[in-house]
Structures are given as C-alpha cells and as structure tokens.
Amino acid sequence: MSKETAGNTVYRKNYSPYPWRLLQAKFRFEIDAETTRVFTEMELEPGGGHSKAADIELDGQDMELVRVALNGRALEPGEFTCDAERLVVHGAKAGGRLEIESLIHPQNNTALEGLYPSGKFLLTQCEAEGFRKIAYFPDRPDVMTRYDVTLVADRSRFPVLLSNGNPVESGELDDGRHWVRWVDPFAKPSYLFALVAGDLACVEDHFTTRSGREVALRIYVEHENFDKCSHAMESLIHSMKWDEDRFGLEYDLDIYNIVATNDFNMGAMENKSLNIFNSKYVLASPDTATDADYQGIEGVIGHEYFHNWTGNRVTCQDWFQLTLKEGLTVFRDQEFSSDMHSRAVKRIQDVRDLRSRQFPEDSGPMAHPIRPDKYKEISNFYTMTVYQKGAEVIRMYHTLLGEDGFQAGMRLYFERHDGAAVTCDDFLAAMADANGVDLELFSRWYAQSGTPELSARGDYDQAACRFTLQLSQKTPPTYDQPEKKPLLIPVSMGLLTRSGEALPLALEGEEGHPETRVIILDREEKSFVFNNVPEHPVPSLLRDFSAPVKLDYPYSNADLALLMAHDRNAFTRWEAAQTLAQREILANVERRAKNQALQLDPALVPAFSALLDDMETDPALIAEALSLPGEEYLAEMMPVIDVDGIHAARKFVKSSLANTLEKPLFDRYRSLLSPGPYDKSPASMARRSLRNVCLSYLMETAAGIGCANEQFATSDNMTDSLAALRGLVWSGAPSAAAALDTFENRWQHDALVMDKWFAIQASVPGPGTVGRVAELVRHPAFSIRNPNKVRSVIGVFALMNPTAFHASDGSGYRLHADKVIELDALNPQVAARMAGAYNAWTRYDDRRRELMKSQLSRIAATTGLSGDVSEIIHNALGME
Ligand SMILES: [Zn+2]
C-alpha cells in the first residue's frame, strides 16, 4: 500500500502504485438493513511495482469476514491476516481470482459513510474512503476497474435497486426477493461506486446528445417529494447541453440517475451515472425554496454532471490531487452559472464566499496549499482551499491563456489521460503543451498556501505624460509554511480619467491600445510604464478579481466613488463600494474601542443614494453593491478580532445609511413589488434580491416592521416570506414570535423548510441566541443524526454568528463543545466541520482565547475521539 503512515500522517511524497492490476470486479449484494451479505470476486494480475512474493493488501473496516478463497480454494488461517483496517492475502504470487464473503450492518451506520439507511431506503457514500466499509478492496483512486454488480433484496421492501452503469439483467427468486444486475462499461475507482435500494418514486425525462445518443434521465425521491423535481430536471438538461456547447463534452451512457436523500454529509456525489444528492440540492417549489436554493440546485446539479468528465473519465492518482477534479469542476460550474445568469453577480458572490471562508482558512491552523503535502484524515481536506481557491487557480489559467487556449489545453488533457488516474502536474503540462508556454512558475500556486498581498503604487509624470504602476507581492507566512516564494499573478486592469473616461493602455514599446488588459507580476516587484496618459489616472485594478489576492492601493474615497460610478468593469464597481463601506466600518470599530462617538462620513451617502436611483443597472448587481461586507471578512482585516465592535460598527453604518436614505429605500422597495405571480426568471430573481436588501435596510428604520409584517402575510414565495421572517426575528419585532409559530405550523412536515426555520433563529446576533440554540437542539424536529439539521442550528450558530458564538461569558463555546463531543460519537466527519469553529481562536482577546482554549482542551481529552475531530483540534491547539 502507498498509504505509508507515520503517526497516521499520510505524505504525498510517499506515493507508490498499487502492485496489482485489477482486471475486473464482480459483486453480489444480498441486501438487508440489519445484515447485508457481500460477495466480492476480483481478477488480479501483477502490475507495476510488483514483487514475486507480494501480498494482496485490501482495505476493509467495520465488516465481518466470512470466507476468502484464491483460485477456487478456501484459504486457511495463516494464509491471510485480517485486522480492523485491512485484509492481507499472503504469498499470492501470480494473483488470479480472489473471492471474499463478508457481512456489513447498515442499520448501525450513523457516520453516513459506506452503506447506510435514510428514510425508507439504503444508500452508499464512498468518497473518499467509504468503499472499505462496504467490501474488502484496494480502496484508492488509482485502482480503476470495470464493475459488475448484482443486487438482491426483498421486492416489497426494496422495489428499486440501482447501481452504476446499465441494468443488463433482472429476475425474481422464490422467496419474495428480486435481483438486478448492473454493468458499468467504464473503468472507475471505488470512490465512484454507488448502490441504492428502497421504495422511491421516479421522475423521468430524456436528453438526446448532439451525436444522437438517447439518454434516460431519472430522479428518484421519496414519494411525497414527487412534485418537487422539475427544476432539478431542467437544470440537468441545461447542464448536459452547456457542456456540449462550451466544452464539446458529451454524456457517455444511456442512463443518468439522481437519488435525493435527507441524510447526507455533503452537498452531492458524482458516482458514475448514479449521482446521490442531499435533497436540499434537488427539491424545489416556489413556496418551499428560495431563489438562492433554485440557483444552488442548478449549480450543484451542474457540478456533479460536469464531474462525469473532470473526475470520472479522468480521475485523481491519489487524494492529494483532489483539486485536480474539484478546482476544475467548481470552475466549470461557476462558468455554467455565469453563462445561464449574470456573470458579474456570480463573480461577486463567489469572491465574497472566497474571502469570508477561504481567506480565514489560509490564515488559520488548517492552512494548506490547494494540493496538500500531508494529511491525517482526507475528509478534513474537502476544504474551501481545495475547492474554491482551486477554482481560482483554474480561472487564472483561463485568464492567461484565453478561452481558446484553455479549451485547447482541455482537449489535450482528455486526449492524453482519458480513462486514467493522474496528477495536477499532468493537467498543468497539458495546458502548457497545448499553448506552447512555460507554466513552471505558475505551478507554485499548487504548492504554496496563504493569501498573497498585492501592493500597487502609481506615479504620474505630467511632463512625459507617463504613468508608472509599480506592483509588488508578499505572501505572509502560514501555519504550515514559514517561507514563501513570489507567485505568477495576472492583474487585469484599466486606467480612468478624473471624469471617468477609460484611457487607452499603451505600455512602452507597444502599439495595442485596449481599454482593459492583463499585466503579469512574475517576481517580487515589477513596474509597468504607460505612455500617452494625459492626466493623473485612477487605476482600476484586479478587474473580475483576476487573482485570489488581497489588493492594497492608496485610493482616496473620491477615487473609490469615481470607480464605483464609472468603471467599465462591474466587479470593480462593486469592489469600490465594498472598500468604501469597509473603511467606514473599520474606522468606527476603532472609534468604539476608544470610547469615541460613532460617525458616518457624509460622503458615503451620495454614493449609496446613487445606487438606489440607478434604474439602468441590473437590480441584482445593485443589491450586491448595497450589501455591506460581512462580519467574517471584516474580522479578517483585524489583527485582533473585535467581535462586538465589528458587529456594532457595521450595524451603525447600516442604520445611519438607512435612516438618511429612508425615503429612497422605501420608494425602491415599493417599486420592486412583483407585478404578477411568482416566476423564477433571472429578472424576477434580481428584483426580489434588491427588494429584500432594501427591506433589510428598512428594518433599521421606523418603517421596517410594517413592511416586513405585510410582506410576510402576503408573499406567495419562500424568498420573500423568509426575508420578511428574518427581518422580524432579527429586529425583535413584537410580531416575531407569532410569525415563527405561523411558519412552523405551516411547514413542520417539510424537513428542508424547517431547516430554514432553525437557521433563522440560530443566526440572530447577540449572546441571547446561546440560550435559544440550547432550546432548538431539544426541539422535536431537530436530530443530531441529521447533518442538515446540525448545519442549520449548530453550524449557523458557531460558524456564521460571531456575536452569539463568542458570547463573552463563554456559554457559546461550552454549548458548542458539548455538541461536538456528542456528534463525534455518531458522525465524525460532520463533527470535524463543526469543530473548525475554533480555528481562529488565537486572534481574539485574551479572555476569549482562554475560554476557547479550555474547550479545545476538553474536546481533545475526550475518550475515543475520532481521528477527524482530533486532527482539527490538535492543529488548532498547535500541538501536533
Ligand atoms: Zn465535486
């Protein structure tokens, strides 16, 4: 095995190929919720790295071994060994046919990894290392083979039996059981295996690929959700069409199945032709799903579908390469959503997410490059860094090479590696070779963690009409890497006159005069000299956020107001508004800390007022520009996080703007009332998003509660009623309790809507929420076994509600630590996510540090703590 362990740490440098070639794998599952009997048959022959005396090592956990046979002969004790982690067949020499019979107990599986129950059915989750809880097998992504799977189960209890590939045979047994045989013609690694057995309803449609293949599309859900699949189905069809049009990639089988479950550790899983989804990313109707849910469904359906090529056809050599499939596929789903809706709004939302969730990862104890060099539990590395920063790295290839160059690289990548398990280096080589460029320096993005700081300074020479832009970079040391090297940073930019005109960009010795261009910083410092610049310009930098860095340029507030009003790039206009607001909030955090009166710079008012008067721009973009920077991102800007100061200053700025601009806010709010019944067109979604941002400002004024009461009572869709409910609950309106009751009574039967009801209450700012959360976890609709419920209550409270979690008496930490310990015994993966709430603990004041440290130590001292939580907690404590 390549999984060489040293104190359970796995190192990338220790990779070695599996010494056996797996020619085929056949399985027979006799399915039962109590005990499922698994018959495994593998054809093995010596492969690369094989030695004559080689043992056959197979992973296996939480199973009972019944029988092992090699080439038809049952093995005696001594010819194999079996422990809690693996089965080893000794002296197998030439290999042959290995048969194994084993037992698993799905009913007891609360970790939701392997084969487990959900509602009235059983299902699997294998990525990253769940298949070893299903069968003894080389459970690593570089062992790819064809799967032939027969599922046998009681027909009345398990009428639907699904696995990967195509169903080729089926039949009945005398004892009331039936069987279906599935054969997947494509070789795949074990993490892409799936089976589903149970009583499910099926919604069916079809898609014809551009080369004429007829594909049956089926979504399986629990019967009561039969009418909530149309948006997911439409999204699937759009995804299939888009991947043909934009990437030239077609679907390769006759069936595409999706199964939705309420019990899932993640968003969704791209198992070959049998995707399994958290029901949150499938089920939608206007009265139960918000616009954000609709967009989330489209994005995740697309993401899993796109994996069929980027992940399944070409997969990862080892789990260190996870970003090879995830960064690339996130980039593809971002592009899909951008092509379907507003590109600028999508970009803004992705950057907001990156800054509030990935930047803190880079500055915390779990900092790692997008391709990590070591891990203890791979499930802890399904991170914002691997996914979202990974997608930013792919986006930089696209920025550097252009759409045509990027697509040429993709074609070469598939030409070289289809059907193989490869590395990030192979992807980079395909991009470089297809374009005849050297990407050696660019490869540092894979190896280096941390968020680079890009500093820009401008110098204008009036006499020579010359503007010099000096760029420099520095990546601060991170927890995992003290030394940093300069990176290759593409900077998309333009220059504006004081009246907001775009200037042509003529670098020295150049003819071309585009209004936007990409300049490359490929060392610590570099200067760019622009000629024929008639006046001191305002540079517009990092257009479309062309690199995942923190930018520093000494803009005056007047510069920012100019960019906000006139820049050609929508992202940079939004960014200018954010920077203005951020300055204003941070200045007030400082005033508050010095016991000075808070104040609003009057210059901010006309800039925000202009946004409300703007009837030309997409309302969704205006909504983004009006939304103040989040508390997590503001915290990222402070050396010592002043959690109460940030909240108070942000609320002050919002409230001051709202009260100064009450009339225009109210008028715009009224004008955006939908003229007809609900529809999910992008234009209607954009109106609702701006209307609800206006409402959130109005909640700071006397008019707010009346607006929210009316909106809650009259809305015909979840987006508007949820926004109104949040407004009422957050502002402590007298009607809030009654509104929560009305909502609960109406939706208590719907698990996904109840998640929203929980989340709103867990998100109310302030220490009072600690007591509320303690009540919510005892509510009959809450279950600590259900990850969506855990995320809605404990996740929202601990990861997204700083003033409650960091209550100064430590009550938030105590409650949270209790829940992490309780959850860890059931579901270590989800417990580890929750445990990440302490990651920035060293950046708070002394009192909070002490309080957090004592809870970290308490969790660390828990008997039987899982490896998942242990890795997070010990990294946080810095005592690896
Ligand atoms: Zn993915």
Side-chain angles (χ1 to χ4, degrees):
M1 289 294 298
S2 69
K3 188 171 173 170
E4 285 175 34
T5 51
N8 280 332
T9 300
V10 187
Y11 293 94
R12 183 165 70 86
K13 61 176 194 250
N14 289 347
Y15 172 82
S16 68
Y18 192 60
W20 298 92
R21 214 175 353 260
L22 185 51
L23 304 177
Q24 210 204 8
K26 275 191 186 170
F27 297 92
R28 178 184 167 92
F29 290 91
E30 298 188 354
I31 294 166
D32 178 75
E34 292 297 324
T35 301
T36 290
R37 194 170 288 269
V38 185
F39 298 88
T40 307
E41 194 183 309
M42 288 178 263
E43 294 286 341
L44 294 148
E45 66 176 31
H50 181 81
S51 80
K52 270 277 154 56
D55 292 344
I56 302 174
E57 285 200 19
L58 305 171
D59 302 291
Q61 285 175 10
D62 305 341
M63 287 185 288
E64 290 170 44
L65 179 65
V66 179
R67 178 175 175 271
V68 196
L70 186 61
N71 295 319
R73 186 178 67 81
L75 298 184
E76 303 289 331
E79 292 182 289
F80 65 92
T81 46
C82 186
D83 62 21
E85 300 270 303
R86 59 186 57 83
L87 167 65
V88 183
V89 175
H90 302 297
K93 297 195 175 83
R97 194 172 82 255
L98 183 64
E99 293 166 87
I100 300 164
E101 185 182 338
S102 51
L103 303 176
I104 45 180
H105 304 288
Q107 203 67 58
N108 306 336
N109 183 346
T110 59
L112 314 190
E113 188 190 38
L115 180 65
Y116 68 92
S118 171
K120 284 189 187 163
F121 62 108
L122 296 175
L123 73 160
T124 55
Q125 168 56 32
C126 293
E127 188 176 0
E129 297 181 335
F131 194 73
R132 63 190 60 187
K133 295 181 169 182
I134 294 174
Y136 289 101
F137 201 77
D139 189 15
R140 37 185 287 168
D142 58 345
V143 175
M144 297 174 81
T145 193
R146 291 198 174 81
Y147 284 62
D148 182 331
V149 176
T150 302
L151 307 175
V152 187
D154 181 79
R155 180 182 266 290
S156 58
R157 246 207 97 186
F158 300 104
V160 174
L161 296 174
L162 306 173
S163 191
N164 316 89
N166 298 311
V168 295
E169 277 186 283
S170 62
E172 305 284 334
L173 300 177
D174 293 339
D175 56 3
R177 293 188 299 169
H178 68 136
W179 58 274
V180 183
R181 181 173 162 224
W182 291 83
V183 174
D184 185 350
F186 292 95
K188 66 169 175 288
S190 53
Y191 82 89
L192 290 173
F193 168 86
L195 82 77
V196 172
D199 184 9
L200 294 165
C202 172
V203 178
E204 182 154 356
D205 209 318
H206 64 92
F207 181 80
T208 309
T209 68
R210 65 177 182 182
S211 66
R213 179 191 287 273
E214 285 295 329
V215 185
L217 311 177
R218 297 189 183 123
I219 301 181
Y220 290 88
V221 291
E222 286 169 288
H223 291 276
E224 65 270 25
N225 295 323
F226 185 78
D227 57 347
K228 290 186 191 153
C229 302
S230 61
H231 180 66
M233 188 64 89
E234 264 174 52
S235 302
L236 177 59
I237 291 169
H238 291 157
S239 308
M240 296 176 89
K241 178 76 170 61
W242 180 86
D243 214 14
E244 291 184 351
D245 293 347
R246 177 89 187 263
F247 279 76
L249 296 171
E250 269 186 55
Y251 189 58
D252 52 12
L253 280 165
D254 302 331
I255 299 182
Y256 194 91
N257 286 327
I258 288 174
V259 176
T261 168
N262 286 328
D263 302 285
F264 208 61
N265 282 349
M266 301 184 281
M269 178 62 212
E270 71 264 22
N271 317 298
K272 184 79 184 186
S273 75
L274 178 52
N275 288 185
I276 294 178
F277 270 64
N278 189 325
S279 53
K280 176 178 166 56
Y281 294 110
V282 174
L283 305 178
S285 64
D287 53 348
T288 61
T290 62
D291 293 339
D293 292 330
Y294 274 89
Q295 288 170 356
I297 289 168
E298 183 182 70
V300 178
I301 292 266
H303 179 95
E304 307 308 332
Y305 174 73
F306 304 142
H307 267 314
N308 190 52
W309 278 92
T310 50
N312 300 5
R313 291 283 290 252
V314 183
T315 195
C316 304
Q317 174 197 273
D318 54 51
W319 290 120
F320 296 104
Q321 319 295 330
L322 184 57
T323 200
L324 174 74
K325 74 176 180 81
E326 293 305 343
L328 178 53
T329 306
V330 170
F331 170 77
R332 275 154 53 70
D333 84 53
Q334 289 175 347
E335 283 298 293
F336 169 57
S337 297
S338 303
D339 286 345
M340 302 297 287
H341 304 281
S342 159
R343 176 164 290 272
V345 171
K346 175 67 180 153
R347 188 70 190 130
I348 288 165
Q349 289 168 347
D350 289 338
V351 172
R352 210 192 267 283
D353 204 32
L354 185 85
R355 284 173 171 166
S356 62
R357 296 166 64 209
Q358 195 278 324
F359 283 14
E361 217 163 75
D362 259 338
S363 61
M366 285 293 289
H368 55 278
I370 64 167
R371 178 171 64 185
D373 290 315
K374 58 174 184 167
Y375 59 75
K376 285 184 173 161
E377 286 293 336
I378 185 58
S379 56
N380 285 333
F381 286 80
Y382 284 72
T383 56
M384 290 297 293
T385 300
V386 166
Y387 277 64
Q388 263 67 23
K389 188 176 176 186
E392 293 298 320
V393 171
I394 301 292
R395 188 169 294 282
M396 286 190 285
Y397 282 108
H398 191 273
T399 302
L400 293 166
L401 303 172
E403 171 73 4
D404 290 349
F406 184 80
Q407 293 295 351
M410 291 297 295
R411 284 192 295 275
L412 185 60
Y413 175 63
F414 292 122
E415 207 179 293
R416 284 179 176 174
H417 304 299
D418 188 12
V422 303
T423 67
C424 298
D425 298 329
D426 294 315
F427 183 82
L428 182 131
M431 285 288 156
D433 295 350
N435 291 281
V437 294
D438 181 356
L439 292 171
E440 178 68 35
L441 183 59
F442 186 76
S443 72
R444 284 184 188 165
W445 280 103
Y446 286 94
Q448 190 159 292
S449 60
T451 308
E453 292 170 359
L454 174 68
S455 172
R457 294 291 180 268
D459 180 47
Y460 183 62
D461 181 342
Q462 178 83 66
C465 287
R466 202 159 57 202
F467 180 70
T468 304
L469 184 68
Q470 191 175 35
L471 299 182
S472 63
Q473 60 169 306
K474 183 172 125 317
T475 303
T478 49
Y479 183 83
D480 61 327
Q481 275 175 348
E483 304 289 327
K484 302 291 180 185
K485 294 174 180 163
L487 296 161
L488 186 150
I489 300 177
V491 181
S492 174
M493 52 90 57
L495 296 175
L496 266 64
T497 66
R498 294 277 148 191
S499 53
E501 298 295 315
L503 286 166
L505 302 169
L507 279 177
E508 262 181 339
E510 267 193 4
E511 290 287 314
H513 293 197
E515 288 180 356
T516 188
R517 65 177 303 152
V518 178
I519 54 178
I520 312 275
L521 176 63
D522 53 6
R523 62 188 90 132
E524 225 156 286
E525 273 186 31
K526 200 167 172 177
S527 291
F528 299 85
V529 180
F530 296 92
N531 287 326
N532 308 322
V533 180
E535 60 172 287
H536 196 313
V538 177
S540 159
L541 298 169
L542 220 58
R543 285 178 164 174
D544 292 321
F545 201 62
S546 59
V549 301
K550 291 179 182 171
L551 171 68
D552 166 53
Y553 185 86
Y555 288 118
S556 67
N557 282 358
D559 292 342
L560 290 171
L562 182 96
L563 287 169
M564 197 174 149
H566 297 291
D567 197 33
R568 303 296 184 272
N569 190 262
F571 176 85
T572 322
R573 287 201 302 277
W574 169 80
E575 178 77 325
Q578 291 290 293
T579 310
L580 270 177
Q582 173 197 313
R583 280 184 185 178
E584 197 58 24
I585 295 169
L586 291 178
N588 278 301
V589 174
E590 232 179 284
R591 287 185 195 113
R592 185 179 175 277
K594 291 181 192 156
N595 285 320
Q596 294 169 353
L598 306 193
Q599 48 182 279
L600 184 77
D601 179 354
L604 212 60
V605 174
F608 276 73
S609 166
L611 289 171
L612 289 168
D613 292 341
D614 180 351
M615 297 295 159
E616 304 296 313
T617 304
D618 177 4
L621 261 181
I622 298 177
E624 293 295 343
L626 285 170
S627 300
L628 300 176
E631 292 181 21
E632 300 91 340
Y633 180 57
L634 293 162
E636 207 32 42
M637 304 286 142
M638 299 191 70
V640 178
I641 299 171
D642 178 356
V643 58
D644 300 315
I646 289 171
H647 181 75
R650 187 176 182 276
K651 192 170 167 63
F652 169 81
V653 169
K654 186 166 185 178
S655 173
S656 307
L657 283 169
N659 283 291
T660 315
L661 298 170
E662 183 174 351
K663 171 102 177 42
L665 278 164
F666 187 77
D667 291 348
R668 195 79 203 253
Y669 173 76
R670 283 283 167 207
S671 79
L672 289 160
L673 184 64
S674 171
Y678 173 89
D679 79 275
K680 60 168 187 165
S681 65
S684 296
M685 285 191 185
R687 292 168 65 94
R688 281 190 290 276
S689 74
L690 180 52
R691 187 161 191 264
N692 286 320
V693 169
C694 290
L695 177 65
S696 83
Y697 274 92
L698 287 170
M699 293 315 297
E700 304 291 331
T701 73
I705 291 176
C707 293
N709 280 333
E710 191 192 341
Q711 181 169 322
F712 185 71
T714 58
S715 113
D716 67 347
N717 64 81
M718 182 52 77
T719 306
D720 287 341
S721 56
L722 201 66
L725 182 64
R726 183 185 298 109
L728 293 173
V729 173
W730 277 36
S731 64
S735 51
L740 279 169
D741 286 348
T742 306
F743 194 92
E744 183 187 4
N745 289 334
R746 180 164 179 205
W747 297 115
Q748 54 191 333
H749 61 281
D750 189 312
L752 290 175
V753 182
M754 284 304 285
D755 290 345
K756 302 178 193 305
W757 181 83
F758 279 113
I760 277 192
Q761 297 176 75
S763 69
V764 177
T769 297
V770 179
R772 187 68 190 134
V773 168
E775 286 167 24
L776 291 175
V777 294
R778 292 195 295 268
H779 189 279
F782 180 84
S783 166
I784 199 161
R785 289 168 184 256
N786 178 266
N788 285 356
K789 289 285 175 292
V790 170
R791 286 185 281 257
S792 299
V793 179
I794 302 164
V796 166
F797 160 68
L799 302 168
M800 295 152 85
N801 189 351
T803 48
F805 179 63
H806 297 285
S808 58
D809 62 357
S811 55
Y813 307 143
R814 273 197 304 279
L815 172 64
H816 174 260
D818 287 347
K819 292 295 141 192
V820 168
I821 292 167
E822 184 185 345
L823 185 57
D824 188 48
L826 297 164
N827 188 330
Q829 284 186 15
V830 176
R833 293 275 150 167
M834 297 301 124
Y838 298 104
N839 276 349
W841 72 280
T842 53
R843 295 191 39 216
Y844 290 84
D845 54 83
D846 293 346
R847 184 180 155 76
R848 285 188 170 96
R849 284 169 68 124
E850 280 311 307
L851 289 165
M852 277 190 264
K853 193 176 172 188
S854 74
Q855 295 305 327
L856 281 164
S857 309
R858 190 181 136 220
I859 298 172
T862 306
T863 331
L865 196 68
S866 71
D868 301 70
V869 170
S870 172
E871 180 171 28
I872 301 288
I873 297 293
H874 283 104
N875 270 0
L877 283 169
M879 52 186 220
E880 236 195 303

